[in-house]
Amino acid sequence: MLRRMRSFMRVLSGRIGPWWIGRLAGVAMGLLGGGGMARGGGDSGVGAFDYVRDLKPFVMDYCIACHGKERPRAQIDLESVPPAGIVLSNRDVWDKVRHVIESREMPPENRRQPSEFDRQATARLIGDELERLEAALPPTAGLVTLRRLNRNEYRNTIRDLLGVDYEVHGEFPHDESGYGFDNIGDVLSLPPMLFEKYLAAAEEIARRTIVTEDPARQRVKRLPAGAFSTEADAISTLEEEIWGFYREGEIVTVHAFAKAGDYILRLGAYGEQAGSELPKMGVGLGGREIHVQSVRALEGRPETFEVPIRIEEAGPQRLSVSYLNNFNTDGDRNVFMTSFEVLGPLGAEEESYPESHRRVLPRRPLAGEEATVAAEALRSLVSRAYRRPAKDEEVRRLVGLVEQVRKDGASFEEGMRLALQAVLVSPHFLYRWELDPEPLGPGEERALNDYEVASRLSYFLWSSMPDDALLAVAAEGRLTEPDVLVRETKRMLRDPKARALVEHFGGQWLQIRNLEEAEPDPLIFPGWGPELREAMKAEAEMFLWALIQEDRPIQSLLDADFTYLNERLARHYGMEGVEGEAFRRVTLPAGSARGGVLTMGSVLTVTSVPTRTAPVLRGKWILEQILGTPPPPPPPDVPAIEEGEEASKTATLRQRLELHRSKPECMTCHQRMDPLGFALENFDAVGAWREMDGVHPIDNTAELPGGRTFVGAAGLKEVLRSNEEFPRALTSKLLTYALGRGLQVYDRRAVRGILENLEKNGFKFSSLVLEVVASDPFLKRQPEPAIHDQHASLHP
């Protein structure tokens, strides 16, 4: 058998590298000796991974010329690998090495190439060893830094807590981003200027929320003399506040009644007496006289009388006051109206408060029960604002604040305003707290309680606080039951508030937010403007929302047979049959170049420069956002491609880029990026279709490292749909957004588990969300000291 094995090695020697011959021989000898291949059994086994024996020869032959310690390209130095070989502190580096070897991106085209067997075997060897080391790590949920609400979360939380829409974008500074998102705890600091903004916002929001005036006084609408008019010459105003009726006639006004219901018209009047009758005034509603009043009072002592009325339907109504019995035979009888008020609607004292007020103060306290009502209201408010049950001490302190304000002579409502301000600047409101009830030891972790899970879930899907239904389930202690968690997650995905996932996750993942800053050259693209910008943004958001609501496979993001258009955007795309400003769902014809996010105007615009398309930027965007394999930063001394009118006349943009990528320092990255961008060259810098680039026909053919070719957007979408890196990249980005932290080595096991179940469920979007929500990183946490001690090598 040994003779046959040696013969087999000689046959292979022309096809594989000498280090693989040595490794196979070692394995064979181990098998002959009955020991087998030791995977993870220490360094003593014949088959155990050994960097010097198994991998270093390949690195020295094919990698070290560009990735040595003297001047490592892409800042990857493989010459200085620690003696222990592949360790977790180098995990990301070796994962990139595995990827570029397996995908034939390395070695560069102008370098000596390994055989296909050597290439794939080396990639598998690296992958197997990384998985072995990764599996040896104890399961770790990871730590999420105490997270401040970002400004979008703050606005949404205020809206859902109080019913007040407080515009934050003009008040608060931009939030910093990390790992592509602005909800990452590590970067959400609280500088003094922002805290001052929070103080000012709390004061303004409390003012808008709680009404401090007596509601009965609020329901009285005084109509000034100037609100009335008349066509009678003998009726006029005195001192601009009193109407004098010297002859028979009327004054009229139109008053808008906010609600149907019972009201009272309250008039003040006095008269000048003459003859045998008292002066008589008539009150009219809607052109019909409804009441006649005799006026006994004299000047200086006006009387007040009330006229009850019923308003059947809210809206404007004609009101009139008339003088009915003028007399001037023996003396002069006149009447004067000193005031006119509308009271009501009656029986709606609590309803007269705005909804925001009633959310904080559902009822008015009677005399002597102010402290009780304050405690009831503040316990409810704090429990919702802090996203967990209020503590007795917290409520006592806030009630004491209300009582102190009252002792200083202010009203109960003013005291509640101040208490609300205190709640809104509390760290328990401004931050999402996940504090361990007891200290955890090294390597320990704990399951989040139901309220913490409710908060994570609502800010993940809604960018806002949990609603009453979610808090009720958390109060029952049932939210972390798997079937209940699935039910609540699906309910929340169906809620319109889940559009926040489109706006804040989708907008940042696809970088649609950058559309606000895009400024295409108006001389080159005269059709560009605010209307087109907004239409592009609406198309992307409506498309993403449809994928969520219809629970389509995530691959539909890359290619779909429909989109959403209005007339302006359809005209920009060169499509007919869409009229009007309203958006509608449009089925794309077979063979259409459109379909999916890659060919939307929003994405194509943000991946261009103001004067032209940018295949490099588009290719880089695909690598980063779609495949999760970003290229390294370019070398600092590489010149830009030749620009200008003369350059464009003599060579196409593609030709100039190909000249650029021919430079050794540029070739490696550009052979990955450029083909992806070239496939989209039929779309100009603002996403309109074109066949020519100036005087040059468009060449949209592309070839990837390794020789795979494709044509245009359709070919590109086919390549990306079949690429297993897309589900992994989307999963990693959604998990990052859901957790509010960057993923670490110990999260890769969770990502693999999500992907396995995602594939079993047909890659449905709801399945991706449900798997993220059910994962250990989402439902558990580990304290910082334990992570620091256990994985210190991850953070050199």
Side-chain angles (χ1 to χ4, degrees):
M1 181 175 181
L2 182 58
R3 187 181 304 111
R4 288 198 298 272
M5 182 63 69
R6 285 172 177 166
S7 176
F8 178 63
M9 293 299 165
R10 282 195 296 272
V11 172
L12 288 180
S13 62
R15 301 184 181 180
I16 63 177
W19 56 94
W20 278 103
I21 295 176
R23 178 161 177 75
L24 288 172
V27 172
M29 293 302 292
L31 291 172
L32 289 173
M37 187 173 182
R39 297 297 296 157
D43 294 334
S44 59
V46 175
F49 174 81
D50 181 85
Y51 172 73
V52 173
R53 179 192 67 202
D54 301 330
L55 188 54
K56 186 175 182 179
F58 184 96
V59 171
M60 298 303 293
D61 266 8
Y62 299 110
C63 309
I64 212 70
C66 297
H67 299 288
K69 61 184 178 182
E70 291 299 325
R71 194 181 178 189
R73 289 187 183 165
Q75 301 176 355
I76 295 178
D77 173 13
L78 300 181
E79 190 174 359
S80 303
V81 172
I86 298 177
V87 292
L88 283 177
S89 59
N90 297 306
R91 205 280 184 211
D92 287 340
V93 171
W94 284 109
D95 201 31
K96 289 178 182 177
V97 171
R98 177 202 60 77
H99 173 76
V100 297
I101 291 174
E102 187 177 47
S103 62
R104 302 177 187 84
E105 296 173 19
M106 291 286 175
E109 295 174 353
N110 60 347
R111 299 283 183 174
R112 187 165 67 91
Q113 300 293 314
S115 69
E116 188 62 19
F117 181 92
D118 287 351
R119 179 187 295 278
Q120 299 303 328
T122 301
R124 281 195 298 273
L125 175 68
I126 296 172
D128 289 347
E129 181 62 11
L130 288 172
E131 287 193 14
R132 184 188 72 80
L133 290 169
E134 187 179 299
L137 280 174
T140 303
L143 169 77
V144 177
T145 302
L146 184 69
R147 279 158 296 169
R148 172 177 62 78
L149 300 182
N150 66 27
R151 60 182 187 170
N152 292 309
E153 292 168 341
Y154 181 93
R155 181 182 187 179
N156 293 344
T157 303
I158 292 294
R159 176 201 66 201
D160 294 339
L161 176 67
L162 303 172
V164 173
D165 186 11
Y166 183 76
E167 176 56 62
V168 297
H169 291 85
E171 299 295 332
F172 294 172
H174 284 278
D175 295 304
E176 297 293 332
S177 294
Y179 304 96
F181 300 103
D182 63 4
N183 68 340
I184 304 300
D186 288 339
V187 300
L188 288 171
S189 60
L190 184 56
M193 181 184 73
L194 179 56
F195 189 71
E196 291 178 4
K197 295 287 187 182
Y198 280 139
L199 290 171
E203 184 176 0
E204 172 63 17
I205 292 166
R207 185 192 66 78
R208 293 191 201 176
T209 300
I210 297 179
V211 176
T212 57
E213 296 180 4
D214 187 319
R217 291 175 59 188
Q218 269 209 316
R219 290 185 299 113
V220 176
K221 303 295 183 184
R222 181 181 178 88
L223 303 187
F228 291 84
S229 62
T230 184
E231 295 181 358
D233 295 335
I235 301 176
S236 60
T237 57
L238 303 175
E239 302 174 357
E240 298 182 354
E241 291 296 329
I242 300 174
W243 276 101
F245 294 79
Y246 304 102
R247 295 288 188 274
E248 294 174 349
E250 68 176 0
I251 59 175
V252 298
T253 188
V254 175
H255 179 71
F257 290 86
K259 294 182 179 180
D262 294 319
Y263 290 78
I264 290 176
L265 304 181
R266 180 186 292 162
L267 283 73
Y270 69 87
E272 291 180 345
Q273 307 299 330
S276 60
E277 293 182 349
L278 295 174
K280 292 182 180 181
M281 300 182 73
V283 178
L285 172 65
R288 181 173 59 87
E289 188 173 82
I290 59 173
H291 179 78
V292 176
Q293 178 73 36
S294 296
V295 180
R296 295 180 177 273
L298 300 175
E299 183 177 2
R301 292 177 295 170
E303 64 179 309
T304 300
F305 60 91
E306 297 181 347
V307 180
I309 62 173
R310 175 73 182 175
I311 298 299
E312 300 295 341
E313 184 177 347
Q317 294 282 350
R318 184 181 187 273
L319 300 176
S320 63
V321 179
S322 57
Y323 179 30
L324 303 177
N325 60 339
N326 184 48
F327 179 83
N328 58 7
T329 301
D330 184 13
D332 194 3
R333 182 194 302 149
N334 300 309
V335 72
F336 301 86
M337 186 182 78
T338 60
S339 64
F340 190 106
E341 296 174 333
V342 179
L343 285 71
L346 304 179
E349 284 82 0
E350 301 302 336
E351 290 185 9
S352 63
Y353 286 117
E355 179 192 357
S356 60
H357 181 106
R358 286 181 277 121
R359 288 193 186 188
V360 178
L361 273 173
R363 69 185 183 95
R364 296 184 66 212
L366 300 175
E369 65 172 7
E370 288 85 357
T372 301
V373 171
E376 292 173 355
L378 288 168
R379 184 174 297 278
S380 174
L381 172 68
V382 169
S383 297
R384 289 181 294 122
Y386 295 174
R387 284 86 70 179
R388 46 89 175 152
K391 299 175 182 178
D392 291 341
E393 180 56 31
E394 292 170 333
V395 176
R396 278 196 297 270
R397 287 199 301 268
L398 291 168
V399 172
L401 192 60
V402 176
E403 291 298 293
Q404 184 60 52
V405 170
R406 293 185 63 238
K407 288 179 182 178
D408 291 340
S411 68
F412 172 77
E413 287 80 9
E414 287 173 318
M416 288 297 295
R417 264 192 189 176
L418 192 60
L420 175 58
Q421 290 180 50
V423 169
L424 297 183
V425 295
S426 167
H428 296 282
F429 173 75
L430 295 175
Y431 284 85
R432 294 163 57 190
W433 287 68
E434 294 173 355
L435 297 183
D436 302 316
E438 297 178 0
L440 300 179
E444 293 182 347
E445 61 185 21
R446 72 169 178 89
L448 298 176
N449 65 45
D450 285 64
Y451 288 102
E452 291 168 333
V453 172
S455 189
R456 281 200 180 189
L457 187 59
S458 65
Y459 281 99
F460 170 33
L461 300 180
W462 291 347
S463 295
S464 186
M465 61 179 286
D467 64 358
D468 290 342
L470 191 61
L471 288 174
V473 175
E476 295 171 357
R478 299 180 54 234
L479 182 56
T480 50
E481 295 177 10
D483 58 333
V484 176
L485 187 59
V486 168
R487 183 194 71 202
E488 287 299 301
T489 303
K490 288 183 175 180
R491 175 185 72 85
M492 295 173 72
L493 276 175
R494 292 192 298 268
D495 193 284
K497 287 194 287 188
R499 283 183 176 271
L501 192 62
V502 168
E503 183 178 352
H504 302 309
F505 170 71
Q508 293 180 91
W509 167 49
L510 299 176
Q511 298 181 348
I512 297 169
R513 282 189 181 181
N514 296 348
L515 200 61
E516 294 297 326
E517 301 170 4
E519 295 294 343
D521 190 323
L523 297 178
I524 302 175
F525 306 104
W528 177 259
E531 183 182 359
L532 185 57
R533 187 199 309 267
E534 290 304 313
M536 288 180 176
K537 181 173 180 285
E539 176 196 22
E541 291 181 348
M542 294 177 76
F543 174 77
L544 293 175
W545 181 241
L547 293 188
I548 293 174
Q549 293 303 294
E550 297 169 15
D551 198 16
R552 290 178 172 249
I554 60 174
Q555 288 82 1
S556 298
L557 287 159
L558 302 177
D559 194 11
D561 62 357
F562 72 95
T563 190
Y564 288 84
L565 303 174
N566 67 356
E567 182 176 357
R568 178 66 188 88
L569 189 57
R571 188 169 69 249
H572 180 69
Y573 286 171
M575 300 175 66
E576 298 179 351
V578 179
E579 298 179 355
E581 296 181 3
F583 274 81
R584 71 218 62 184
R585 186 169 177 143
V586 176
T587 300
L588 299 171
S592 172
R594 303 285 173 181
V597 297
L598 297 174
T599 57
M600 287 186 177
S602 54
V603 170
L604 294 165
T605 300
V606 300
T607 54
S608 298
V609 295
T611 58
R612 59 168 174 81
T613 60
V616 175
L617 291 182
R618 289 176 175 176
K620 180 174 180 286
W621 182 90
I622 291 171
L623 291 177
E624 288 180 337
Q625 308 308 123
I626 302 300
L627 300 179
T629 56
D637 54 352
V638 175
I641 65 169
E642 185 183 359
E643 294 279 10
E645 185 177 348
E646 291 304 316
S648 64
K649 288 180 179 179
T650 57
T652 66
L653 176 60
R654 177 169 185 147
Q655 290 168 339
R656 284 177 279 156
L657 280 171
E658 288 175 343
L659 181 64
H660 183 77
R661 67 185 280 193
S662 67
K663 299 169 180 161
E665 63 270 31
C666 304
M667 179 183 300
T668 301
C669 295
H670 280 275
Q671 68 180 356
R672 296 174 60 203
M673 295 186 294
D674 294 3
L676 305 175
F678 289 149
L680 298 173
E681 272 295 274
N682 279 118
F683 301 98
D684 70 13
V686 291
W689 181 261
R690 62 179 184 170
E691 297 288 347
M692 304 286 289
D693 179 11
V695 298
H696 306 290
I698 296 292
D699 180 1
N700 63 359
T701 60
E703 180 178 353
L704 296 173
R708 181 173 183 178
T709 60
F710 58 93
V711 179
L716 173 62
K717 287 186 277 190
E718 183 180 349
V719 167
L720 296 178
R721 282 176 63 94
S722 62
N723 194 313
E724 64 181 13
E725 296 298 335
F726 169 61
R728 183 183 305 277
L730 180 55
T731 297
S732 298
K733 289 183 181 296
L734 191 64
L735 185 60
T736 296
Y737 178 81
L739 296 177
R741 67 169 174 83
L743 301 189
Q744 305 297 328
V745 170
Y746 44 76
D747 294 309
R748 295 180 187 267
R749 183 183 305 176
V751 171
R752 281 205 306 273
I754 292 172
L755 286 170
E756 289 172 2
N757 292 328
L758 181 62
E759 184 174 10
K760 292 176 185 176
N761 292 303
F763 293 98
K764 294 294 183 68
F765 185 84
S766 67
S767 177
L768 175 57
V769 172
L770 289 169
E771 291 300 325
V772 166
V773 167
S775 67
D776 276 358
F778 192 85
L779 296 177
K780 298 178 180 179
R781 66 174 278 114
Q782 190 168 20
E784 188 171 4
I787 290 181
H788 180 75
D789 295 343
Q790 182 177 343
H791 301 294
S793 62
L794 296 178
H795 308 285

